[in-house]
């Protein structure tokens, strides 16, 4: 099976992207010489559709499978759930040769990966991402982690998978809101690396969200994985270049944390964050008016929930300074000098961030008002 390679010397691994490839998991596990004991970690929604198939494919190849089904949602990415898994793996005599497979979106991938990174100082891990966001972003690059009640993704590790298996067909059971959320990360890739891809998204966003053309969907997933692999190959541990993948995330994480991860999907929060960054860049003459309008128009096409809670910009600012991108008290922010031209800056002052948050707040209030007016 052909794959995109994440090229990290002895830790290199393939990302397989192919329609209807879920049923190949048993064979791939065998080809990759995985240990016999396998824990499959998934959530209730994914389990409903795919757990049995994945389990039986592995059992057909004589793997011993232990299944775990967690509640869906960001609250599952917690130390409590990780602790539960440690306990069960110890009880089942999992050893250094055992394997953890994540079958799910970014939440399950991050939790399963975190447990794989820490159990017995690290065991083999395989990602089978089932959301658009996980297939284009979170399953690649080895960042795994859990949330702390005070900040998102603050406890984690770098732990690369043995391989990533992506079957775009599983997106057909994904709710449309989740597809929009994944499209936000896809727009991010275009903004940080690729003006032509941005043009393509402007033309096809409406079709992509409906999964009208699965060849296009597969191509987009492959393209995003290649962009991410290329960045990770150059900077695995995020000491420089990899930070560009955080475009919009500093604001986005703050919105998610302030709303207890319960109101905005990850991609929705990132889309809002990217709108803020684009505006900040225009106001500071990094982006010209035309490019700003194109970016803002595309970002506005990514749906947000009908009502987004009002927020106090000062509270968001406080959360922003909890973010991992703050180093020695200095905030590193990914900005844009054009479509495909990211730049990392550490000289953005608090009052500039506050006025950006004021801008976003106004946008949200106007949007909330107009969706209320549209109601019969
Ligand atoms: N590690 C990284 O590099 C990285 C990068 C980006 C985001 N993330 C993390 O990813 C998380 C968000 O991931 P997500 O957007 O995939 O959310 P998610 O994992 O919560 O999945 C979204 C919803 O879709 C359901 N679902 C998943 N696959 C399905 C399918 N095929 N059919 C039907 N339902 C399905 C899930 O049960 C859930 O309800 C956040 O915690 C974010 O911090 C991590």
């Amino acid at each position: 099976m052909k794959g995109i390679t994440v090229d990290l010397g002895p830790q290199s691994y393939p990302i397989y992207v192919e329609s209807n490839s879920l049923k190949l998991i048993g064979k791939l596990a065998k080809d990759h010489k995985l240990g016999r004991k396998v824990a499959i970690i998934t959530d209730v929604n994914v389990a409903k559709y795919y757990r049995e198939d994945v389990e039986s494919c592995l059992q057909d190849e004589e793997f011993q499978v232990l299944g775990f089904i967690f509640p869906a949602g960001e609250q599952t990415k917690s130390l409590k759930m990780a602790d539960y898994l440690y306990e069960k793996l110890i009880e089942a005599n999992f050893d250094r040769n055992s394997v953890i497979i994540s079958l799910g979106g970014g939440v399950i991938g991050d939790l399963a990966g975190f447990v794989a990174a820490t159990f017995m100082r690290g065991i083999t891990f395989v990602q089978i991402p089932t959301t658009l966001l996980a297939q284009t972003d979170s399953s690649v690059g080895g960042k795994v982690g859990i949330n702390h009640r005070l900040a998102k993704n603050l406890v984690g590790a770098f732990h690369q998978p043995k391989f990533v298996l992506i079957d775009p067909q599983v997106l057909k059971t994904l709710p449309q809101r989740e597809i929009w959320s994944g499209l936000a990360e896809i727009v991010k890739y275009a903004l940080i690396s690729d003006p032509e891809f941005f043009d393509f998204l402007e033309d096809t966003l409406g079709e992509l969200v409906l999964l009208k053309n699965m060849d296009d969907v597969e191509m987009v997933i492959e393209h995003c994985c290649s962009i991410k692999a290329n960045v990770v190959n150059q900077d695995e541990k995020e000491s420089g270049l990899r930070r560009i993948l955080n475009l919009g995330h500093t604001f986005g994480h703050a919105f998610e944390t302030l709303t207890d991860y319960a109101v905005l999907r990850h991609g929705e929060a990132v889309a809002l964050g990217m709108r803020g960054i684009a505006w900040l860049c225009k106001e500071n003459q990094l982006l010209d008016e035309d490019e700003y309008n194109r970016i803002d128009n595309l970002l506005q096409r990514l749906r947000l929930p009908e009502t987004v809670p009002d927020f106090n910009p000062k509270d968001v600012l406080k959360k922003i300074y909890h973010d991992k991108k703050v180093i020695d008290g200095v905030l590193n922010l990914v900005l844009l000098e054009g479509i495909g031209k990211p730049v990392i800056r550490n000289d953005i002052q608090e009052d500039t961030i506050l006025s950006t948050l004021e801008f976003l707040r106004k946008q949200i209030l106007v949007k909330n008002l107009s969706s209320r007016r549209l109601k019969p």
Side-chain angles (χ1 to χ4, degrees):
M1 217 173 151
K2 69 178 168 58
I4 298 153
T5 303
V6 181
D7 199 352
L8 296 170
Q11 288 189 78
S12 297
Y13 58 94
I15 305 163
Y16 303 114
V17 186
E18 197 174 295
S19 274
N20 301 310
S21 57
L22 205 62
K23 59 181 182 297
L24 302 179
I25 180 63
K27 187 181 172 314
L28 285 170
K30 202 171 175 187
D31 292 350
H32 281 271
K33 300 187 170 44
L34 299 191
R36 288 285 125 190
K37 273 194 177 162
V38 176
I40 299 180
I41 300 175
T42 189
D43 74 26
V44 278
N45 299 330
V46 182
K48 204 164 57 189
Y49 299 108
Y50 307 111
R51 177 191 157 213
E52 265 182 40
D53 282 353
V54 169
E55 279 195 15
S56 63
C57 286
L58 286 158
Q59 281 157 348
D60 288 349
E61 297 292 343
E62 284 159 24
F63 287 94
Q64 293 167 29
V65 180
L66 195 62
F68 295 97
I69 304 176
F70 284 94
E74 199 66 38
Q75 307 299 339
T76 283
K77 233 174 88 174
S78 66
L79 200 52
K80 191 170 149 208
M81 299 302 182
D83 185 50
Y84 171 83
L85 278 170
Y86 296 138
E87 191 177 307
K88 296 293 166 196
L89 297 180
I90 294 167
E91 282 172 5
N93 294 320
F94 266 52
D95 58 32
R96 285 227 160 120
N97 205 29
S98 306
V99 181
I100 289 182
I101 297 184
S102 98
L103 173 68
V107 163
I108 290 298
D110 279 5
L111 171 74
F114 178 74
V115 171
T118 45
F119 185 73
M120 295 201 166
R121 298 196 180 82
I123 63 172
T124 301
F125 172 48
V126 169
Q127 289 260 24
I128 310 181
T130 61
T131 61
L132 185 60
L133 185 139
Q135 295 191 343
T136 50
D137 193 16
S138 63
S139 65
V140 175
K143 268 197 193 178
V144 294
I146 50 176
N147 297 323
H148 186 273
R149 67 184 179 286
L150 294 180
K152 194 174 156 60
N153 292 340
L154 207 71
V155 179
F158 288 96
H159 188 60
Q160 302 295 341
K162 188 83 175 169
F163 63 88
V164 182
L165 176 61
I166 299 178
D167 181 349
Q169 293 296 327
V170 303
L171 300 178
K172 289 189 172 159
T173 54
L174 192 64
Q176 199 173 79
R177 183 173 176 194
E178 301 300 337
I179 309 249
W180 281 118
S181 172
L183 282 167
E185 294 280 8
I186 291 170
V187 170
K188 174 197 80 178
Y189 283 112
L191 286 173
I192 59 172
S193 72
D194 194 338
E196 267 178 44
F197 188 36
F198 189 89
D199 299 347
F200 172 81
L201 292 177
E202 282 183 318
D203 292 341
T204 58
L205 199 74
E207 288 189 6
L208 286 172
V209 75
L210 297 174
L211 305 176
K212 270 194 174 162
N213 179 342
M214 287 309 282
D215 288 342
D216 274 357
V217 174
E218 195 167 322
M219 185 273 286
V220 164
I221 293 170
E222 266 176 345
H223 190 62
C224 292
C225 287
S226 303
I227 297 171
K228 184 149 185 188
N230 189 32
V231 171
V232 172
N233 292 348
Q234 296 174 65
D235 176 24
E236 183 191 357
K237 300 273 165 73
E238 199 172 306
S239 44
L241 178 71
R242 187 166 177 169
R243 290 185 193 150
I244 62 171
L245 297 171
N246 296 323
L247 178 71
H249 283 60
T250 303
F251 291 179
H253 283 168
F255 293 130
E256 281 182 281
T257 310
L258 274 176
T259 49
D260 290 330
Y261 312 115
V263 179
L264 292 169
R265 306 295 309 126
H266 179 69
E268 293 167 350
V270 169
L272 256 183
M274 290 192 290
R275 281 195 75 194
I277 293 294
W279 183 84
L280 185 158
C281 294
K282 180 204 46 151
E283 292 294 299
N284 289 276
Q285 284 81 46
L286 287 172
L287 274 180
D288 67 35
E289 196 82 27
D290 280 354
E291 274 200 314
Y292 168 70
N293 288 333
R294 281 185 69 196
I295 295 171
D296 197 56
N297 283 339
L298 189 61
L299 290 171
Q300 283 200 56
R301 286 168 64 195
L302 300 167
R303 300 265 166 83
L304 285 181
E306 206 164 277
T307 318
V308 179
D310 190 8
F311 63 83
N312 179 343
K314 288 198 173 133
D315 293 340
V316 183
L317 190 75
K318 240 190 254 162
K319 282 283 170 219
I320 283 175
Y321 276 85
H322 266 298
D323 199 88
K324 297 189 293 304
K325 285 107 217 160
V326 176
I327 298 169
D328 289 338
V330 177
L331 178 66
N332 285 281
L333 215 50
V334 187
L335 304 183
L336 291 170
E337 287 178 334
I339 295 170
K341 292 190 196 141
V343 56
I344 296 161
R345 292 270 296 264
N346 63 8
D347 57 345
I348 305 302
Q349 302 301 313
E350 272 189 33
D351 55 350
T352 307
I353 294 177
L354 262 182
S355 47
T356 306
L357 292 167
E358 292 288 1
F359 159 78
L360 281 178
R361 178 167 180 257
K362 261 187 225 137
Q363 302 302 306
I364 287 171
L365 294 180
V366 169
K367 189 194 107 18
N368 287 350
L369 212 64
S370 62
S371 52
R372 233 171 280 149
R373 272 203 215 104
L374 284 174
K375 286 235 171 96

